[in-house]
Amino acid sequence: MSAAPVIVRLPDALLALFPGAPRRLEIAAATVGEAIEGLDRRWPGMRDRLCDSTPAIRRHINVFVEGERATLETRIQPGAEVFVLTAISGGRPPADGRA
Amino acid sequence: MTQKVFILVGTKKGAFIFESEPGRRAWAQRGPYCETWPLNHMVGDAASGAIYAGGGNEWFGPAVWKSTDLGRTWTHSSEGLAYEAGEQPIKSVWSLAPRNGSLYAGVEPAGLFRSDDGGQSWSHVAGLREHPSRPHWQPGGGGLILHSLVRHPTDDHQIWVGISAAGVFYTADGGATWQPRNQGTRADFLPEGERYPEMGQCVHCLVMAPGKSERLYQQNHCGMYRSDDGGERWESIEAGLPSSFGFPAAAHPYDPETLYLLPLNGDSSGRYVPEAKAAVWRTRDGGATWRALRKGLPQENVYFGVLRQAMATDRLEPAGVYFGTNTGMLFASADEGESWSRVAEYLPPILSVETLVAEA
């Protein structure tokens, strides 16, 4: 059985990296991980921007499902909204100590 | 189409490009590019004309950006630029080296990747991290980074890398096996009697002399060195310099005896230019003697530093020399360092400076 559509909202800083990607879209997914796989199929490379190789959602990316911070395994109810956000903590460039 | 020279500047907040005629009297500035990502290294591939910029964004992770129109438009990719699941993820790209159609990238935490499709996809050169010394690699102040990538001019199987603070490693088989190449370089941060280990030195910058592939130079956290046997044995060439500490080294484009350094006042003294006066130091005899080049550089109340990848030469005649500061100033010399002018003064902190000469 294929997964039902959910609504995914993407942050502007991510859209700048993938010209043509919309702020809001529907995608068939039962978990956050499936939603990100769906994004990656449509915009190759998007998974790498949102997830690291652990694999896990990147440290300074927040994904919220029904108001709760989610992981890749978090289940999504049909029609629910998934918010992908850049965390305030991620705006800091790397440390300058380059010894 | 006329020949142009480009200064490629990677900063904490994006890529900038400066463009001039071969006379290099005036520079036009463009940027920032690459969505203001921190970019540790930006290089031009003279053969293809492509420009690559490697870095890492705190939100979106590591990537290599590419432009095939001299910086006007960019794409990015990190396909395959990852360690095995469960390992510490890659944080940032630190060094790039294009040659003969392939492109290598050094990353943090230290490791090496290769691309054969112009940076679109990457494969791990796993042999380096399989070296038995890897559990003992210690991060320097900038992290455990592979920051120096030196490729043999004609033999694609030979590569030297500099890792802070693991030292210099060399492969003759394209990366399958590696040997430490640190004999003769000092580690002042270790106990007395243990200061010349096989590996663990804090190499800051490694470069190869032009036309003389067995001649390497390195600026180390603890001294300045030359090797005449591909790094098997290093000898100190710091006598005559104002400090044994600094980050960048830049080889002359066609004279193997000429090298440029920018010494800083010491690792615990502020890491700015000695006596608060800016100078590039040049040797014309392989490090036997040094001369300070100051004409046109500020000589009063100067508290900037220059990071490890932020000095470069171009391949014009006479050679140009360039450096960018951690305070966002860019300086250029069109006469081998004899005189200098300020090209930009309000950039973000400069992480890398390279040049490209191309038809445009």
Short mmCIF file of all heavy atoms in Angstrom, two decimals, chain B residues 228-273:
data_model
loop_
_atom_site.label_atom_id
_atom_site.label_comp_id
_atom_site.label_asym_id
_atom_site.label_seq_id
_atom_site.Cartn_x
_atom_site.Cartn_y
_atom_site.Cartn_z
N ASP B 228 64.10 17.95 0.39
CA ASP B 228 64.56 17.77 -0.98
C ASP B 228 64.43 16.32 -1.43
O ASP B 228 64.99 15.93 -2.45
CB ASP B 228 66.01 18.25 -1.12
CG ASP B 228 66.07 19.77 -1.11
OD1 ASP B 228 65.33 20.39 -1.90
OD2 ASP B 228 66.82 20.34 -0.30
N ASP B 229 63.65 15.54 -0.66
CA ASP B 229 63.44 14.14 -1.05
C ASP B 229 61.98 13.74 -0.86
O ASP B 229 61.68 12.66 -0.34
CB ASP B 229 64.38 13.23 -0.25
CG ASP B 229 64.27 13.47 1.25
OD1 ASP B 229 63.32 14.15 1.68
OD2 ASP B 229 65.14 12.98 1.99
N GLY B 230 61.09 14.64 -1.23
CA GLY B 230 59.67 14.32 -1.16
C GLY B 230 59.14 14.14 0.24
O GLY B 230 58.13 13.45 0.43
N GLY B 231 59.80 14.75 1.20
CA GLY B 231 59.29 14.72 2.56
C GLY B 231 59.87 13.61 3.43
O GLY B 231 59.47 13.47 4.59
N GLU B 232 60.81 12.82 2.89
CA GLU B 232 61.41 11.77 3.72
C GLU B 232 62.15 12.37 4.90
O GLU B 232 62.16 11.83 6.00
CB GLU B 232 62.39 10.93 2.88
CG GLU B 232 61.70 10.18 1.77
CD GLU B 232 61.95 8.69 1.86
OE1 GLU B 232 62.14 8.18 2.98
OE2 GLU B 232 61.95 8.05 0.81
N ARG B 233 62.78 13.50 4.65
CA ARG B 233 63.60 14.14 5.68
C ARG B 233 63.42 15.65 5.53
O ARG B 233 63.47 16.18 4.43
CB ARG B 233 65.06 13.74 5.46
CG ARG B 233 66.06 14.40 6.34
CD ARG B 233 66.14 13.76 7.71
NE ARG B 233 66.59 14.77 8.68
CZ ARG B 233 66.50 14.62 10.00
NH1 ARG B 233 66.01 13.53 10.51
NH2 ARG B 233 66.90 15.57 10.81
N TRP B 234 63.17 16.32 6.66
CA TRP B 234 62.95 17.77 6.64
C TRP B 234 64.08 18.47 7.36
O TRP B 234 64.60 17.97 8.36
CB TRP B 234 61.64 18.12 7.33
CG TRP B 234 60.42 17.59 6.63
CD1 TRP B 234 59.84 16.37 6.83
CD2 TRP B 234 59.65 18.26 5.63
NE1 TRP B 234 58.74 16.24 6.01
CE2 TRP B 234 58.60 17.38 5.26
CE3 TRP B 234 59.73 19.50 5.01
CZ2 TRP B 234 57.64 17.71 4.31
CZ3 TRP B 234 58.78 19.84 4.06
CH2 TRP B 234 57.75 18.96 3.71
N GLU B 235 64.46 19.66 6.86
CA GLU B 235 65.43 20.47 7.59
C GLU B 235 64.85 21.86 7.83
O GLU B 235 64.09 22.39 7.01
CB GLU B 235 66.75 20.59 6.82
CG GLU B 235 66.66 21.29 5.50
CD GLU B 235 68.05 21.50 4.90
OE1 GLU B 235 68.79 22.34 5.43
OE2 GLU B 235 68.34 20.83 3.90
N SER B 236 65.21 22.41 9.00
CA SER B 236 64.69 23.71 9.39
C SER B 236 65.26 24.81 8.50
O SER B 236 66.46 24.82 8.22
CB SER B 236 65.03 24.00 10.84
OG SER B 236 64.69 25.34 11.14
N ILE B 237 64.40 25.71 8.08
CA ILE B 237 64.87 26.90 7.35
C ILE B 237 64.31 28.15 8.03
O ILE B 237 64.06 29.16 7.40
CB ILE B 237 64.45 26.86 5.85
CG1 ILE B 237 62.94 26.63 5.69
CG2 ILE B 237 65.26 25.81 5.10
CD1 ILE B 237 62.45 26.81 4.25
N GLU B 238 64.13 28.08 9.35
CA GLU B 238 63.52 29.21 10.04
C GLU B 238 64.51 30.29 10.45
O GLU B 238 64.09 31.38 10.84
CB GLU B 238 62.71 28.74 11.24
CG GLU B 238 63.55 28.12 12.35
CD GLU B 238 62.72 27.25 13.29
OE1 GLU B 238 62.05 26.31 12.80
OE2 GLU B 238 62.72 27.51 14.49
N ALA B 239 65.83 30.00 10.37
CA ALA B 239 66.81 31.02 10.74
C ALA B 239 66.64 32.24 9.83
O ALA B 239 66.55 32.09 8.61
CB ALA B 239 68.22 30.47 10.62
N GLY B 240 66.58 33.41 10.45
CA GLY B 240 66.42 34.65 9.67
C GLY B 240 64.99 35.12 9.60
O GLY B 240 64.74 36.24 9.13
N LEU B 241 64.05 34.30 10.04
CA LEU B 241 62.65 34.72 10.10
C LEU B 241 62.35 35.34 11.47
O LEU B 241 62.99 34.99 12.46
CB LEU B 241 61.73 33.52 9.86
CG LEU B 241 61.71 32.97 8.44
CD1 LEU B 241 61.00 31.61 8.40
CD2 LEU B 241 61.03 33.96 7.48
N PRO B 242 61.37 36.23 11.54
CA PRO B 242 61.07 36.89 12.82
C PRO B 242 60.35 35.97 13.79
O PRO B 242 60.21 36.30 14.97
CB PRO B 242 60.18 38.06 12.41
CG PRO B 242 59.50 37.59 11.18
CD PRO B 242 60.50 36.73 10.47
N SER B 243 59.84 34.84 13.31
CA SER B 243 59.07 33.94 14.15
C SER B 243 59.08 32.57 13.49
O SER B 243 59.15 32.47 12.26
CB SER B 243 57.63 34.47 14.26
OG SER B 243 56.75 33.45 14.70
N SER B 244 58.97 31.54 14.30
CA SER B 244 58.88 30.19 13.72
C SER B 244 57.42 29.80 13.49
O SER B 244 57.15 28.70 13.02
CB SER B 244 59.55 29.18 14.66
OG SER B 244 58.91 29.20 15.92
N PHE B 245 56.50 30.70 13.81
CA PHE B 245 55.07 30.40 13.76
C PHE B 245 54.39 31.18 12.64
O PHE B 245 54.67 32.37 12.44
CB PHE B 245 54.42 30.77 15.10
CG PHE B 245 52.96 30.46 15.19
CD1 PHE B 245 52.51 29.21 15.54
CD2 PHE B 245 52.01 31.45 14.90
CE1 PHE B 245 51.16 28.93 15.63
CE2 PHE B 245 50.65 31.18 14.98
CZ PHE B 245 50.22 29.92 15.35
N GLY B 246 53.51 30.51 11.94
CA GLY B 246 52.73 31.16 10.90
C GLY B 246 51.83 30.13 10.28
O GLY B 246 51.87 28.94 10.66
N PHE B 247 51.01 30.55 9.36
CA PHE B 247 50.11 29.59 8.71
C PHE B 247 50.43 29.36 7.23
O PHE B 247 50.67 28.24 6.82
CB PHE B 247 48.65 30.00 8.91
CG PHE B 247 48.18 29.72 10.30
CD1 PHE B 247 48.08 30.73 11.23
CD2 PHE B 247 47.87 28.43 10.69
CE1 PHE B 247 47.66 30.46 12.52
CE2 PHE B 247 47.46 28.14 11.98
CZ PHE B 247 47.34 29.17 12.90
N PRO B 248 50.39 30.38 6.37
CA PRO B 248 50.49 30.08 4.93
C PRO B 248 51.92 29.99 4.43
O PRO B 248 52.85 30.51 5.04
CB PRO B 248 49.79 31.28 4.29
CG PRO B 248 50.07 32.41 5.22
CD PRO B 248 50.15 31.82 6.61
N ALA B 249 52.07 29.30 3.31
CA ALA B 249 53.29 29.31 2.52
C ALA B 249 52.84 29.31 1.06
O ALA B 249 51.88 28.64 0.71
CB ALA B 249 54.14 28.07 2.80
N ALA B 250 53.53 30.08 0.22
CA ALA B 250 53.15 30.13 -1.20
C ALA B 250 54.38 29.96 -2.05
O ALA B 250 55.35 30.72 -1.92
CB ALA B 250 52.44 31.45 -1.53
N ALA B 251 54.36 28.94 -2.91
CA ALA B 251 55.49 28.70 -3.80
C ALA B 251 55.43 29.68 -4.97
O ALA B 251 54.37 30.09 -5.41
CB ALA B 251 55.44 27.26 -4.32
N HIS B 252 56.61 30.03 -5.46
CA HIS B 252 56.71 30.85 -6.67
C HIS B 252 56.22 30.00 -7.85
O HIS B 252 56.38 28.78 -7.84
CB HIS B 252 58.17 31.26 -6.85
CG HIS B 252 58.39 32.29 -7.91
ND1 HIS B 252 58.50 31.96 -9.24
CD2 HIS B 252 58.49 33.63 -7.83
CE1 HIS B 252 58.69 33.07 -9.94
NE2 HIS B 252 58.67 34.11 -9.10
N PRO B 253 55.64 30.62 -8.89
CA PRO B 253 55.10 29.79 -9.98
C PRO B 253 56.15 29.09 -10.83
O PRO B 253 55.86 28.06 -11.45
CB PRO B 253 54.31 30.79 -10.82
CG PRO B 253 54.88 32.13 -10.48
CD PRO B 253 55.30 32.04 -9.05
N TYR B 254 57.39 29.62 -10.89
CA TYR B 254 58.37 28.92 -11.74
C TYR B 254 59.80 28.92 -11.21
O TYR B 254 60.68 28.39 -11.85
CB TYR B 254 58.34 29.45 -13.19
CG TYR B 254 57.98 30.90 -13.34
CD1 TYR B 254 58.93 31.90 -13.18
CD2 TYR B 254 56.68 31.28 -13.62
CE1 TYR B 254 58.59 33.23 -13.31
CE2 TYR B 254 56.33 32.60 -13.74
CZ TYR B 254 57.28 33.58 -13.58
OH TYR B 254 56.94 34.90 -13.68
N ASP B 255 60.04 29.47 -10.01
CA ASP B 255 61.38 29.40 -9.43
C ASP B 255 61.32 28.54 -8.15
O ASP B 255 60.77 28.98 -7.14
CB ASP B 255 61.89 30.79 -9.09
CG ASP B 255 63.23 30.74 -8.38
OD1 ASP B 255 63.85 29.65 -8.36
OD2 ASP B 255 63.66 31.77 -7.83
N PRO B 256 61.90 27.35 -8.18
CA PRO B 256 61.79 26.46 -7.00
C PRO B 256 62.52 26.98 -5.77
O PRO B 256 62.29 26.49 -4.67
CB PRO B 256 62.41 25.15 -7.49
CG PRO B 256 63.28 25.51 -8.63
CD PRO B 256 62.65 26.71 -9.29
N GLU B 257 63.42 27.96 -5.94
CA GLU B 257 64.17 28.49 -4.79
C GLU B 257 63.42 29.62 -4.10
O GLU B 257 63.83 30.08 -3.03
CB GLU B 257 65.55 28.99 -5.24
CG GLU B 257 66.39 27.96 -5.98
CD GLU B 257 66.65 26.71 -5.16
OE1 GLU B 257 66.82 26.82 -3.93
OE2 GLU B 257 66.66 25.61 -5.75
N THR B 258 62.36 30.12 -4.70
CA THR B 258 61.64 31.27 -4.15
C THR B 258 60.37 30.81 -3.45
O THR B 258 59.60 30.02 -4.00
CB THR B 258 61.29 32.28 -5.25
OG1 THR B 258 62.51 32.80 -5.79
CG2 THR B 258 60.47 33.43 -4.70
N LEU B 259 60.19 31.31 -2.24
CA LEU B 259 59.03 30.95 -1.43
C LEU B 259 58.58 32.19 -0.65
O LEU B 259 59.42 33.01 -0.24
CB LEU B 259 59.39 29.84 -0.45
CG LEU B 259 58.26 29.32 0.44
CD1 LEU B 259 57.35 28.40 -0.36
CD2 LEU B 259 58.81 28.58 1.65
N TYR B 260 57.28 32.29 -0.43
CA TYR B 260 56.71 33.40 0.35
C TYR B 260 56.07 32.86 1.62
O TYR B 260 55.36 31.85 1.58
CB TYR B 260 55.65 34.14 -0.47
CG TYR B 260 56.22 34.77 -1.71
CD1 TYR B 260 56.25 34.07 -2.92
CD2 TYR B 260 56.75 36.06 -1.68
CE1 TYR B 260 56.79 34.64 -4.06
CE2 TYR B 260 57.29 36.63 -2.82
CZ TYR B 260 57.31 35.92 -4.01
OH TYR B 260 57.84 36.49 -5.14
N LEU B 261 56.31 33.56 2.73
CA LEU B 261 55.71 33.23 4.02
C LEU B 261 55.12 34.48 4.63
O LEU B 261 55.48 35.60 4.26
CB LEU B 261 56.76 32.70 5.00
CG LEU B 261 57.46 31.41 4.72
CD1 LEU B 261 58.41 31.10 5.88
CD2 LEU B 261 56.47 30.28 4.56
N LEU B 262 54.24 34.28 5.60
CA LEU B 262 53.74 35.42 6.36
C LEU B 262 53.76 35.04 7.84
O LEU B 262 52.76 34.59 8.40
CB LEU B 262 52.33 35.80 5.91
CG LEU B 262 52.05 37.28 6.12
CD1 LEU B 262 51.15 37.84 5.08
CD2 LEU B 262 51.55 37.55 7.52
N PRO B 263 54.95 35.16 8.47
CA PRO B 263 55.07 34.74 9.87
C PRO B 263 54.17 35.57 10.78
O PRO B 263 53.96 36.76 10.55
CB PRO B 263 56.55 35.00 10.18
CG PRO B 263 57.23 35.13 8.86
CD PRO B 263 56.20 35.68 7.93
N LEU B 264 53.68 34.92 11.82
CA LEU B 264 52.92 35.61 12.87
C LEU B 264 53.73 35.58 14.16
O LEU B 264 54.74 34.89 14.25
CB LEU B 264 51.56 34.94 13.06
CG LEU B 264 50.68 34.91 11.80
CD1 LEU B 264 49.35 34.23 12.09
CD2 LEU B 264 50.46 36.31 11.23
N ASN B 265 53.27 36.33 15.16
CA ASN B 265 54.16 36.58 16.30
C ASN B 265 54.25 35.43 17.30
O ASN B 265 54.96 35.53 18.28
CB ASN B 265 53.74 37.87 17.01
CG ASN B 265 52.36 37.76 17.62
OD1 ASN B 265 51.61 36.84 17.30
ND2 ASN B 265 52.02 38.69 18.49
N GLY B 266 53.50 34.35 17.08
CA GLY B 266 53.61 33.21 17.98
C GLY B 266 52.25 32.67 18.33
O GLY B 266 51.25 33.38 18.25
N ASP B 267 52.22 31.40 18.75
CA ASP B 267 50.90 30.77 18.94
C ASP B 267 50.19 31.26 20.18
O ASP B 267 48.98 31.10 20.29
CB ASP B 267 51.03 29.24 18.92
CG ASP B 267 51.74 28.68 20.13
OD1 ASP B 267 52.37 29.44 20.87
OD2 ASP B 267 51.66 27.45 20.32
N SER B 268 50.92 31.84 21.13
CA SER B 268 50.26 32.30 22.35
C SER B 268 50.40 33.81 22.56
O SER B 268 50.23 34.32 23.65
CB SER B 268 50.82 31.56 23.56
OG SER B 268 52.23 31.75 23.63
N SER B 269 50.74 34.52 21.49
CA SER B 269 50.99 35.96 21.60
C SER B 269 50.00 36.78 20.79
O SER B 269 50.25 37.96 20.52
CB SER B 269 52.41 36.29 21.13
OG SER B 269 53.34 35.47 21.78
N GLY B 270 48.91 36.18 20.36
CA GLY B 270 47.90 36.92 19.62
C GLY B 270 47.78 36.50 18.17
O GLY B 270 46.79 36.78 17.51
N ARG B 271 48.83 35.85 17.64
CA ARG B 271 48.77 35.34 16.26
C ARG B 271 48.52 36.45 15.25
O ARG B 271 47.72 36.30 14.33
CB ARG B 271 47.73 34.22 16.13
CG ARG B 271 48.01 33.07 17.08
CD ARG B 271 47.10 31.90 16.88
NE ARG B 271 47.51 30.80 17.77
CZ ARG B 271 47.14 29.53 17.63
NH1 ARG B 271 46.37 29.20 16.62
NH2 ARG B 271 47.56 28.62 18.46
N TYR B 272 49.15 37.60 15.47
CA TYR B 272 49.12 38.65 14.46
C TYR B 272 50.54 38.92 13.97
O TYR B 272 51.49 38.25 14.40
CB TYR B 272 48.43 39.91 14.99
CG TYR B 272 48.93 40.42 16.33
CD1 TYR B 272 50.12 41.11 16.44
CD2 TYR B 272 48.17 40.23 17.48
CE1 TYR B 272 50.56 41.58 17.66
CE2 TYR B 272 48.61 40.69 18.71
CZ TYR B 272 49.80 41.37 18.79
OH TYR B 272 50.25 41.82 20.01
N VAL B 273 50.68 39.88 13.05
CA VAL B 273 52.00 40.10 12.45
C VAL B 273 52.98 40.65 13.49
O VAL B 273 52.60 41.44 14.35
CB VAL B 273 51.89 41.03 11.22
CG1 VAL B 273 51.23 40.30 10.07
CG2 VAL B 273 51.12 42.30 11.56
#
